[in-house]
C-alpha cells in the first residue's frame, strides 16, 4: 500500500517526526548512538525469542538492520521494513557485507503501509520505533500486526514506555535525560532526548498494555528496563 492509496485523513508516516532518520548523518552515526541495538544485544534477543531456520520474521522500523541480520543468520526469512530510504540503504549494505542479501527482503514501507504478502509471520518485532506514531495510530498498527502473524505467533515490542506515576512526569523525564544523554559524538545528546520527549509519542504503560490486549495479544512477559523503557513479549490469541 502506498500513502497515496489512503484517504486524505490517513496519517502520513513518511513524514519524519522528532529525530530525522532521513538525514544521512543521523543514519551514519546511528549504530554508535543506539546502545540498545548492538550485535550482541540483538543476537541475545534472537536466542531469547527462539527464532530458528525457516521462521518468517518481520522487523518493523528496522533502522540499520542489526536485528534483521542476526535473525537472518539463523536461517530465518526476514522482512525488514522502514520508512527511511537512507536507513534501508545502510541496512542493505550491512546485509550484503554479511552475505545475507538473499535472506532479507527490504521494504520501503511503514507500520501503516507495509502489506505482508508472504507466509504468515512467526515473529513480528519492533524496537525503538513505534513511539513515532500517536496512540490512535499505534492502535491501528497493533491490529495490522495481529493480521500479519500466525495464530500463536509472537509479537515483541521494545520501546520508550512511561511507567512512572503520571503526576511525577517532570522528575522522571529529567532524571532520564540526565542519566542517558551523552556528550556529542558519544551517543544521543541532551538535545536528542529533549526532541524525543517534545516531538515524539511515547505512551504510558497502562495505555499500551490495554491496546495490546484490545488488539488480540496476550502479554507473556514484561521487562521494564527503567520507568521509561519496557519490552513486551506477546502472543497472538488463537482466536484473533
Ligand atoms: C530509533 S530507530 C530504531 C531502529 C531499530 N529498530 C533499532 O532498534 O535500532 C527508529 C526507526 O523507525 C523508523 N520509523 C519511523 N517511523 C516509522 C514508521 N511509521 N514505520 C516504519 N518505520 C518507522 C525510522 O526511520 C528509524 O529507522
Amino acid at each position: 500500500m502506498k500513502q497515496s492509496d489512503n484517504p486524505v485523513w490517513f496519517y502520513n508516516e513518511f513524514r519524519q517526526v522528532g529525530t530525522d532518520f532521513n538525514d544521512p548523518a543521523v543514519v551514519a552515526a546511528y549504530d554508535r548512538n543506539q546502545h540498545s541495538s548492538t550485535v550482541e544485544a540483538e543476537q541475545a534477543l534472537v536466542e531469547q525469542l527462539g527464532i530458528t531456520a525457516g521462521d518468517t520474521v518481520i522487523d518493523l522500523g528496522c533502522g540499520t538492520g542489526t536485528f534483521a541480520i542476526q535473525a537472518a543468520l539463523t536461517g530465518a526469512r526476514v522482512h525488514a521494513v522502514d520508512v527511511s530510504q537512507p536507513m534501508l540503504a545502510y541496512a542493505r549494505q550491512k546485509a550484503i557485507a554479511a552475505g545475507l542479501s538473499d535472506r532479507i527482503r527490504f521494504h520501503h514501507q511503514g507500520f501503516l503501509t507495509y502489506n505482508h504478502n508472504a507466509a504468515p509471520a512467526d515473529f513480528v518485532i519492533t524496537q525503538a520505533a513505534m513511539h513515532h506514531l500517536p496512540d490512535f495510530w499505534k492502535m491501528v498498527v497493533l491490529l495490522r500486526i495481529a493480521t500479519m502473524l500466525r495464530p500463536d505467533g509472537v509479537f515483541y515490542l521494545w520501546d520508550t514506555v512511561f511507567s512512572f506515576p503520571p503526576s511525577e512526569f517532570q522528575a522522571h523525564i529529567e532524571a532520564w535525560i540526565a542519566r542517558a544523554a551523552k556528550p556529542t559524538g558519544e551517543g544521543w545528546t541532551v538535545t536528542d532526548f529533549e526532541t524525543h520527549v517534545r516531538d515524539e509519542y511515547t505512551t504510558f504503560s497502562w495505555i499500551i498494555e490495554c491496546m495490546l490486549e484490545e488488539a488480540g495479544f496476550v502479554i507473556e512477559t514484561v521487562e521494564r528496563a527503567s520507568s521509561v523503557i519496557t519490552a513486551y513479549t506477546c502472543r497472538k490469541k488463537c482466536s484473533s
Side-chain angles (χ1 to χ4, degrees), residues 168-209:
E168 297 174 14
F169 71 91
Q170 187 151 357
H172 282 267
I173 297 293
E174 286 177 1
W176 175 33
I177 295 175
R179 181 172 77 236
K182 298 279 183 290
T184 302
E186 293 179 25
W188 301 114
T189 63
V190 167
T191 305
D192 293 323
F193 282 100
E194 289 169 342
T195 301
H196 176 107
V197 175
R198 188 185 55 240
D199 298 341
E200 301 179 16
Y201 303 100
T202 295
T203 303
F204 277 112
S205 51
W206 38 279
I207 297 176
I208 199 81
E209 288 162 19

Side-chain angles (χ1 to χ4, degrees), residues 13 16 21 30 37 61-63 82-84 87 110-111 127-129 132:
E13 63 179 344
Q16 294 277 325
F21 291 107
Y30 185 82
S37 309
C62 65
D82 206 288
V83 292
S84 160
M87 274 296 199
F111 288 110
Q127 300 188 82
H132 288 97

Side-chain angles (χ1 to χ4, degrees), residues 111-112 130-146 155 157 159-162 201-219 232 234-237 240:
F111 288 110
L112 291 162
M130 216 154 79
H131 65 265
H132 288 97
L133 294 172
D135 280 1
F136 170 73
W137 295 104
K138 281 195 184 103
M139 188 67 227
V140 174
V141 166
L142 293 175
L143 293 167
R144 298 189 87 241
I145 288 171
F155 173 46
L157 166 65
D159 209 351
T160 49
V161 171
F162 293 152
Y201 303 100
T202 295
T203 303
F204 277 112
S205 51
W206 38 279
I207 297 176
I208 199 81
E209 288 162 19
C210 282
M211 290 162 81
L212 285 163
E213 284 163 14
E214 188 67 29
F217 293 104
V218 175
I219 301 172
Y232 297 100
C234 311
R235 200 169 284 280
K236 174 178 164 170
K237 283 185 202 155
S240 61

Side-chain angles (χ1 to χ4, degrees), residues 13 57-63 67-68 78-83 107 109-116 123-130 141-142 144-146 148 155-158:
E13 63 179 344
V57 178
I58 303 172
D59 184 4
L60 295 169
C62 65
F67 176 82
V78 181
H79 296 268
V81 180
D82 206 288
V83 292
H107 305 265
Q109 290 173 312
F111 288 110
L112 291 162
T113 46
Y114 172 63
N115 272 334
H116 186 61
F123 297 89
V124 175
I125 276 85
T126 183
Q127 300 188 82
M130 216 154 79
V141 166
L142 293 175
R144 298 189 87 241
I145 288 171
M148 297 173 200
F155 173 46
Y156 179 82
L157 166 65
W158 184 106

Side-chain angles (χ1 to χ4, degrees), residues 6-20:
N6 286 319
V8 288
W9 48 261
F10 206 82
Y11 190 78
N12 179 6
E13 63 179 344
F14 291 87
R15 181 178 51 85
Q16 294 277 325
V17 294
T19 305
D20 182 4

